[in-house]
Amino acid sequence: MSFGEIDFQLFIIAIIANISLVLVVLRFAPKTQSRIFFILFGLFQTIWITINYFAVRSGPDGILNFARLTIASAVPHSILFFLFIKTFLKKEDAVQKKHILGAALVVIIFVIIALSPITFTH
């Protein structure tokens, strides 16, 4: 068995594990802010893992685009993890809607910067 086959199997296991965990939380967790943030975090984690997997396998022509996509997908991933941790132990909504909108605006700005030629030129 080659490294590429093992690598692909680990990738599939990671995707299945992430999606399964998201589905379990979606089905059984109480309806709180932390549940929403965890589900979004899990979905963005799956996107980030997928982009990283294909970035490693891309040729010289696609590596720049995959590097930009990897950084762009890490931005919401990290913000959602922070929001999940912030709300996890709280009984009530710990994050106000204005803060969520502010975080969303920051994410959009940083994703645009990550996808633009400002970050990586070659």
Side-chain angles (χ1 to χ4, degrees):
M1 187 177 292
S2 71
F3 176 73
E5 292 173 12
I6 294 171
D7 204 26
F8 180 72
Q9 291 172 355
L10 291 175
F11 165 69
I12 295 299
I13 290 169
I15 295 296
I16 290 171
N18 272 329
I19 292 173
S20 298
L21 189 56
V22 165
L23 291 174
V24 166
V25 169
L26 184 63
R27 172 71 175 97
F28 297 107
K31 294 182 176 168
T32 62
Q33 274 188 339
S34 63
R35 173 184 180 234
I36 294 167
F37 290 134
F38 184 83
I39 290 168
L40 291 172
F41 168 74
L43 293 174
F44 274 96
Q45 171 127 346
T46 304
I47 291 168
W48 183 69
I49 289 169
T50 304
I51 291 171
N52 275 310
Y53 176 79
F54 288 108
V56 170
R57 276 139 198 81
S58 67
D61 297 334
I63 195 71
L64 179 62
N65 291 329
F66 274 114
R68 289 178 179 157
L69 283 173
T70 299
I71 303 248
S73 64
V75 173
H77 179 255
S78 58
I79 296 291
L80 287 166
F81 183 69
F82 169 76
L83 291 172
F84 166 67
I85 294 300
K86 183 169 175 48
T87 60
F88 182 65
L89 297 176
K90 303 289 182 182
K91 299 285 185 210
E92 69 281 343
D93 290 347
V95 180
Q96 298 174 355
K97 289 186 181 190
K98 65 181 180 179
H99 294 128
I100 295 171
L101 293 175
L105 181 62
V106 168
V107 166
I108 290 169
I109 290 169
F110 278 101
V111 166
I112 290 171
I113 290 171
L115 293 174
S116 72
I118 295 171
T119 310
F120 296 108
T121 55
H122 62 285

